Amino acid sequence: MHTLTVSLAERSYPIHIGAGLLDDGRYFSSVLRSRRVMIVTNSVVAPLYLERVLRALQTEGVRADAVVMPDGEAHKDWSTLMTVYDGLLEKRCDRTTALVALGGGVVGDMGGFAAATYQRGIPFVQVPTTLLAQVDSSVGGKTAINHPLGKNMIGAFHQPRMVLADVSTLDTLPDRELRAGLAEVIKYGLIRDPEFFDWIESCLDQILARDPATLIEAISRSCRNKADVVAADETEQGERALLNLGHTFGHAIETGLGYGVWLHGEAVAAGTLMAAELSRRLGWLADAELERIEHVFRRAGLPVHGPDLPTSAYLALMAHDKKVEDGALRLVLLRGIGRAVIHSGASADDIAAAIDARRA
Ligand code: NAD
Ligand code: GLY
């Protein structure tokens, strides 16, 4: 078992990573403000893990109710969010009730936004059950729902009191979802941790084979990177934006195709290759480095080309990005493997050429 800390002064919190943690109610007990919990989960995760969490809470004398959402990115929306508020109100949850998000990034982002806004903010606990959520979305307090015109456009920062990442839940995760999560793992190597990138290259087969010790190391090293960035720049005034490598292109893919058609991690993978291609065109990334990046994504079974949307559609959707400032698009680009930068000087022609080169 590994425990890391996200250091945010009085709002600091632990990330526990290990096998079988779901069944130990003491983790929950240690961070609750009252003996009341509302679990938010979905129709796929509930039959797999809800009973176990309820039992763990019961042994600690905690009263827990649950809201079960429909599954999928297409439901990370306003109407589903309302059903979470309905559940909280119907069960008369008060400001001391903790909202526990049990599931992947969709449940975590939406449950977190409900926790941030219900009665102006209630305690929140993340129990991520996908690789993507364990390495990225459960850490750092970004919560949101989608708008038809843009991904994650309605949201808030609301840090959890604890992240409980039980790696044994990954046993039931479909292969495609495991691979999608790897896109965010590779991201940390590319933006700030070149030794981790080397390690991923050498351990990728063990990760894909779900070797528990290798998975725990991949999750811990990812969370260490994320926790350090969040501690340095909680609300994305600077460095935190680097965590969005590939995301400006990727969000355009997700929105352009319709939410849920490509998985988030798949869109980020193709988007990262577009960002790397643009970096190469600017003379910042060597051909050999681009090939190395492409090779690792291919081995992970992730797309290295985006879908065949018109370039104009990519550009129009990218103009909605949250990193746009004063109308200028700011992109995360690479000045080598392990060194990401924010750049607002790329010309529309160069951006379009990078998209064209990396589109199916
Ligand atoms: P997801 O939540 O849709 O989960 C993927 C699928 O796996 C779903 O069908 C889910 O029901 C199922 N599932 C979850 N756990 C399972 C398990 N243990 N066994 C079997 N099936 C399981 O998708 P995701 O990839 O976890 O998250 C993607 C979302 O995260 C996107 O909405 C993205 O925008 C968001 N995100 C947020 C942040 C952040 O910082 N807040 C960072 C990255 C991504
Ligand atoms: N996933 C990007 C962030 O947390 O900032």
Side-chain angles (χ1 to χ4, degrees):
M1 216 271 280
H2 292 226
T3 297
L4 311 173
T5 302
V6 183
S7 299
L8 291 167
E10 71 286 351
R11 289 175 299 113
S12 297
Y13 57 91
I15 307 170
H16 302 297
I17 303 160
L21 308 184
L22 277 191
D23 302 304
D24 192 337
R26 288 170 301 181
Y27 289 109
F28 294 97
S29 254
S30 65
V31 296
L32 298 182
R33 273 183 65 195
S34 69
R35 301 285 92 195
R36 240 354 223 108
V37 155
M38 175 60 82
I39 300 172
V40 174
T41 186
N42 75 17
S43 55
V44 169
V45 178
L48 294 167
Y49 301 112
L50 179 57
E51 215 30 66
R52 277 171 60 185
V53 176
L54 287 172
R55 227 176 302 125
L57 288 166
Q58 206 177 19
T59 56
E60 291 291 305
V62 177
R63 181 184 151 203
D65 295 291
V67 174
V68 180
M69 304 174 353
D71 180 42
E73 184 76 36
H75 297 287
K76 190 175 151 181
D77 63 1
W78 191 255
S79 62
T80 311
L81 177 68
M82 285 300 143
T83 66
V84 179
Y85 297 134
D86 291 347
L88 287 161
L89 285 162
E90 279 160 18
K91 296 294 177 187
R92 300 186 187 284
C93 295
D94 66 25
R95 283 185 180 155
T96 67
T97 303
L99 189 151
V100 173
L102 171 69
V106 169
V107 166
D109 277 17
M110 190 146 75
F113 187 53
T117 46
Y118 182 69
Q119 298 194 356
R120 301 198 183 87
I122 59 173
F124 174 42
V125 172
Q126 286 270 20
V127 185
T129 61
T130 63
L131 181 61
L132 185 136
Q134 293 185 355
V135 299
D136 192 351
S137 62
S138 64
V139 176
K142 276 191 182 177
T143 74
I145 57 169
N146 298 327
H147 186 280
L149 295 179
K151 268 279 289 184
N152 296 334
M153 281 294 154
I154 321 292
F157 285 99
H158 189 56
Q159 297 293 341
R161 293 180 157 228
M162 169 178 74
V163 178
L164 194 67
D166 185 337
V167 297
S168 63
T169 60
L170 303 182
D171 292 347
T172 54
L173 195 66
D175 221 42
R176 184 179 170 201
E177 299 289 351
L178 187 87
R179 290 172 188 273
L182 272 173
E184 305 279 18
V185 175
I186 296 167
K187 171 185 82 178
Y188 295 113
L190 287 175
I191 62 172
R192 69 192 305 274
D193 192 346
E195 291 82 24
F196 187 37
F197 188 83
D198 296 343
W199 180 87
I200 294 164
E201 283 183 321
S202 59
C203 295
L204 191 55
D205 293 339
Q206 291 103 293
I207 297 176
L208 290 170
R210 304 180 191 224
D211 171 62
T214 315
L215 274 176
I216 289 179
E217 181 155 5
I219 295 163
S220 301
R221 290 177 77 160
S222 298
C223 286
R224 183 72 276 149
N225 273 295
K226 177 127 192 201
D228 288 349
V229 173
V230 169
D233 179 21
E234 182 184 4
T235 56
E236 201 170 305
Q237 305 305 308
E239 183 185 354
R240 185 164 181 173
L242 301 179
L243 294 173
N244 287 317
L245 175 68
H247 285 57
T248 303
F249 297 97
H251 286 164
I253 294 171
E254 290 185 87
T255 310
L257 290 179
Y259 298 122
V261 177
W262 275 36
L263 301 181
H264 176 71
E266 293 169 344
V268 166
T272 298
L273 265 301
M274 289 175 177
E277 174 65 35
L278 182 54
S279 309
R280 187 188 68 80
R281 281 168 190 267
L282 293 171
W284 294 353
L285 199 65
D287 289 351
E289 288 177 300
L290 179 57
E291 278 164 28
R292 205 176 146 200
I293 296 169
E294 176 166 348
H295 187 58
V296 84
F297 278 109
R298 276 191 194 280
R299 282 179 61 208
L302 286 163
V304 294
H305 290 96
D308 188 20
L309 295 167
T311 303
S312 56
Y314 275 93
L315 293 173
L317 289 161
M318 287 165 69
H320 281 296
D321 189 77
K322 290 193 289 306
K323 287 187 296 306
V324 169
E325 278 182 3
D326 268 348
L329 190 56
R330 294 157 71 241
L331 290 170
V332 184
L333 299 178
L334 292 172
R335 281 191 171 267
I337 289 174
R339 187 165 166 232
V341 291
I342 293 278
H343 183 63
S344 53
S347 70
D349 285 351
D350 277 341
I351 298 171
I355 293 168
D356 284 341
R358 282 284 159 190
R359 196 186 40 188

